[in-house]
Amino acid sequence: MILTKDQQAIRQLVRDFANARIAPNVREWEMQGGPPKSLYEEMGSIGLMGMTIDPSYGGSGLGFISYALAMEEISAVDGGISNMMSGNNSPVAVAIAANGSLEQKERILPMLCAGKWLGSFHLTEPHTGSDASAITTRAVRDGNQFILNGHKAFITGGGISDIAMIVAVTSPEAGKSGISTFVTSTANPGYQILGKEQKLGHRTNDLCQVQFDAMEIPEADLLGPEGRGLSIALSNLSIGRIAVAAQAVGGARQALRLAKEYAELRETFGKPIIEHQTISFMLAEMATKIEVARQMYLHAAAIHDAGQDSAAAASMAKLFASEMAEWVASKAIQIHGGAGFLEDHLVEKIYRDVRVYQLYEGTSEIQKLVISRHLDSIEM
């Protein structure tokens, strides 16, 4: 796929921002557990926190290809920050734009798009994993509000977000049709952080367990009709999976760059190791797989922008890109030799960051399940 001039300009804008404002600070922010919240306001000021949202609500009004390109650029310098950007854009802002009331859109979207508020998505529970319909968090109507009780796990940004998009059971007897979604303030009474997880990678964002202890949610914070929460929550799966593929490409691309630079400097047997065919061929294979993954996510994004079903293409892109990224990062460490195992070189951080792309937004096994269900529609 050949990018338009506008898409190339957006990519360069984000790349310049990431290299200037994020890259010099990633080690410090990893140790601190995240960047200052003002970074997300800076990202909002250049349109990164609500990229596909209509400009009338403060968004950038761009296509999904541009959003995915921006995800690659931010992820190339830090996976954790790119994940905060991802959650804010989709599902939170996108779901509100598609399903919210006029009051919700006017009140919440401008703040999310500006990065002044951050959004978090509360779906996963300790016992549910990929089975979203098995959630037990319960919201009981009490006059003009709901009382929420339950426990969510693996919530990115749960401790620093201002707006929570929460999926809960409102009518247990109705099964999947008894699940609703809310967009509400994390300042509501009863919103409690049980603890922040210590993670292998993505250490620049918080990953929390969240307890809802008789949390009071105004009825006005119901997102869409009551009982449609599961479809609202799952409607953006393809968007999320394409974004993860772009994140994986970003991390892998950075690993390749660092490996090539090291191979040009490190000498053995009287010459730079890049002149050894074993190393140059390894770099060539890394570059090839990265470009394949990039074209896959761009193709899936183009399908989405065209209003067509992108489920299979999104799952293929995520499956290939996420597994490719771990392989490329591992090869980058191999090229660095023992030095690659040290924190002196960023390749060890990239290896830690890219591993999660095979897990969230559906594991590799879930992607294979989705693809297998679309085999009849795939050209053979």
Side-chain angles (χ1 to χ4, degrees):
M1 178 178 179
I2 299 175
L3 302 180
T4 66
K5 289 183 178 180
D6 285 346
Q7 290 163 348
Q8 292 176 34
I10 291 164
R11 181 178 63 179
Q12 191 62 52
L13 170 70
V14 183
R15 182 175 298 181
D16 291 344
F17 175 86
N19 287 333
R21 290 294 299 120
I22 301 175
N25 303 299
V26 291
R27 286 298 194 188
E28 178 184 355
W29 289 346
E30 253 207 334
M31 293 176 62
Q32 294 174 353
K37 209 169 178 181
S38 59
L39 175 73
Y40 296 109
E41 292 189 46
E42 291 184 54
M43 293 170 67
S45 71
I46 62 170
L48 298 183
M49 300 302 284
M51 292 192 68
T52 64
I53 304 303
D54 192 285
S56 63
Y57 297 113
S60 300
L62 297 170
F64 195 66
I65 292 174
S66 295
Y67 168 57
L69 289 168
M71 285 298 302
E72 178 185 332
E73 295 305 322
I74 298 297
S75 180
V77 293
D78 189 80
I81 292 170
S82 76
N83 211 30
M84 286 297 300
M85 172 184 161
S86 174
N88 203 77
N89 274 273
S90 176
V92 180
V94 167
I96 295 170
N99 303 281
S101 66
L102 180 60
E103 186 277 332
Q104 288 171 333
K105 293 177 184 179
E106 292 180 341
R107 174 171 54 91
I108 301 174
L109 285 179
M111 298 296 284
L112 291 178
C113 292
K116 295 181 182 297
W117 287 355
L118 296 176
S120 55
F121 181 43
H122 299 245
L123 174 62
T124 303
E125 298 182 358
H127 65 284
T128 58
S130 297
D131 185 5
S133 63
I135 63 172
T136 59
T137 295
R138 181 78 195 277
V140 178
R141 185 181 287 274
D142 180 24
N144 62 352
Q145 67 178 359
F146 287 84
I147 305 300
L148 187 70
N149 287 280
H151 182 188
K152 297 293 185 178
F154 302 106
I155 306 304
T156 298
I160 65 169
S161 59
D162 306 277
I163 293 294
M165 178 178 167
I166 305 169
V167 185
V169 176
T170 48
S171 300
E173 69 283 354
K176 293 182 179 180
S177 298
I179 296 174
S180 302
T181 295
F182 302 86
V183 283
T184 196
S185 172
T186 58
N188 288 350
Y191 184 94
Q192 301 177 359
I193 302 299
L194 293 183
K196 296 183 180 181
E197 308 290 1
Q198 301 301 308
K199 309 189 296 298
L200 174 69
H202 285 218
R203 295 177 182 175
T204 49
N205 66 43
D206 63 326
L207 189 73
C208 299
Q209 293 194 46
V210 180
Q211 180 79 35
F212 308 122
D213 184 10
M215 181 178 174
E216 301 171 5
I217 301 180
E219 182 180 22
D221 288 353
L222 187 66
L223 182 63
E226 187 174 342
R228 284 200 55 238
L230 190 61
S231 62
I232 291 172
L234 301 183
S235 62
N236 296 308
L237 279 178
S238 291
I239 296 176
R241 288 167 180 170
I242 299 168
V244 175
Q247 286 180 296
V249 169
R253 189 191 86 202
Q254 186 78 320
L256 172 63
R257 183 185 69 80
L258 294 170
K260 177 178 176 292
E261 288 179 356
Y262 186 82
E264 290 170 338
L265 294 174
R266 176 80 166 96
E267 292 189 1
T268 62
F269 305 104
K271 60 183 178 181
I273 62 173
I274 198 170
E275 295 181 17
H276 296 294
Q277 192 177 80
T278 301
I279 300 300
S280 63
F281 278 17
M282 192 183 301
L283 291 166
E285 190 173 1
M286 292 160 70
T288 300
K289 290 188 176 184
I290 291 169
E291 186 57 31
V292 170
R294 179 181 289 113
Q295 293 304 319
M296 290 182 75
Y297 89 63
L298 288 172
H299 175 67
I303 292 174
H304 181 81
D305 276 342
Q308 300 175 20
D309 183 4
S310 61
S315 286
M316 288 178 176
K318 182 186 183 298
L319 174 64
F320 182 84
S322 62
E323 298 193 351
M324 173 278 299
E326 184 186 5
W327 182 88
V328 167
S330 179
K331 293 300 182 185
I333 291 175
Q334 195 71 19
I335 290 170
H336 279 72
F341 200 66
L342 306 179
E343 290 188 358
D344 295 350
H345 296 272
L346 276 172
V347 288
E348 64 83 25
K349 177 188 183 299
I350 294 170
Y351 185 84
R352 290 187 285 105
D353 277 353
V354 300
R355 183 58 182 86
V356 75
Y357 299 139
Q358 296 175 56
L359 301 176
Y360 63 48
E361 294 289 349
T363 63
S364 290
E365 290 71 29
I366 290 295
Q367 307 313 316
K368 292 174 185 177
L369 178 63
V370 172
I371 295 164
S372 69
R373 289 174 175 173
H374 285 81
L375 287 176
D376 287 343
S377 62
I378 295 171
E379 187 174 347
M380 298 183 185

